Amino acid sequence: MRSYAAALPGVRRAHTDDEVRYWFRELLVPHRETWVAKAGDATVAVMVLDGEELDQLYIDPPWRGRGVGDRLVDLAKRRSPAGLELWTFQVNAPARRFYERHGFVAAEHTDGSRNEEREPDVRYVWLPEPS
């Protein structure tokens, strides 16, 4: 939630903190491939994969720019070598630069009518280089 608030301060939150915690704990983590980056006892990042979709990637703000996200995206590519896709909000310029730096290409832009926040978003796709 700190990551979301730091990256998207102007985006409407569709759910309360308690609803988000419940969704992560009871619905998302038990049913998706979830990776957690830790520094000591602290969780500094979380990544959730759903087949070939990079469903969630959050880095604790003090840990941004320290390579944690790079390592998680590299792991996601190894876990889905045929390709990946993901969604991010169009206003999230740092995330968009991050994914583009990792070889993701914008494949679809929407007006946000299909997400709960009603925020225009963009679907990114990564395909491996041909051998």
Side-chain angles (χ1 to χ4, degrees):
M1 288 180 273
R2 287 187 305 273
S3 179
Y4 187 100
L8 301 165
V11 174
R12 179 182 83 81
R13 299 245 340 251
H15 299 281
T16 67
D17 289 354
D18 286 341
E19 290 170 334
V20 171
R21 285 185 192 100
Y22 174 84
W23 177 69
F24 253 88
R25 182 182 63 247
E26 303 296 329
L27 303 174
L28 192 66
V29 171
H31 303 287
R32 303 283 194 287
E33 182 178 346
T34 304
W35 294 83
V36 175
K38 308 241 339 156
D41 291 335
T43 297
V44 300
V46 63
M47 178 180 71
V48 178
L49 301 174
D50 184 11
E52 293 179 345
E53 182 176 8
L54 200 169
D55 189 37
Q56 308 285 320
L57 179 61
Y58 291 105
I59 313 297
D60 198 16
W63 285 86
R64 287 188 182 153
R66 298 169 87 179
V68 177
D70 298 327
R71 289 191 294 274
L72 287 171
V73 168
D74 289 343
L75 173 63
K77 289 177 176 180
R78 289 194 309 273
R79 303 291 296 163
S80 297
L84 285 166
E85 68 176 29
L86 61 90
W87 290 90
T88 193
F89 294 124
Q90 291 182 30
V91 298
N92 195 347
R96 295 180 68 183
R97 284 191 303 272
F98 172 82
Y99 292 124
E100 290 168 5
R101 192 175 78 240
H102 284 277
F104 285 81
V105 176
E108 177 182 5
H109 292 79
T110 79
D111 63 3
S113 62
R114 294 183 295 184
N115 64 55
E116 294 178 306
E117 295 80 5
R118 300 295 180 246
E119 183 71 32
D121 54 9
V122 56
R123 181 173 63 91
Y124 277 94
V125 174
W126 168 79
L127 296 172
E129 294 292 326
S131 302

